Amino acid sequence: MSKEVIFILVIASMAIWITVSREAVKPSKKINWRKMITLLSAGSLSALVITITLFQSLLF
């Protein structure tokens, strides 16, 4: 992956996790659980891709 793509992925991941944290501080009755699960899945996937990419760049 090019550095520009990784940079865009990092920015998108940060935005996702900021949105997750804002949703998490709401009272439990007001949390949109479908949105929360979607954001957590997307955030976890993006963090995994970033981690794998960074480890690959260290090894090769």
Side-chain angles (χ1 to χ4, degrees):
M1 276 192 191
S2 69
K3 290 185 179 185
E4 293 83 13
V5 173
I6 296 170
F7 179 73
I8 292 169
L9 184 60
V10 168
I11 297 298
S13 183
M14 287 172 50
I16 290 169
W17 286 111
I18 289 170
T19 308
V20 167
S21 65
R22 286 185 179 176
E23 189 73 20
V25 297
K26 291 180 181 178
S28 62
K29 290 183 180 180
K30 292 188 176 187
I31 293 176
N32 183 347
W33 290 104
R34 183 174 291 172
K35 178 180 177 183
M36 182 69 114
I37 291 170
T38 303
L39 288 169
L40 283 170
S41 300
S44 298
L45 181 63
S46 66
L48 180 66
V49 170
I50 291 166
T51 304
I52 290 171
T53 304
L54 290 174
F55 274 118
Q56 284 179 346
S57 69
L58 288 174
L59 295 177
F60 298 110

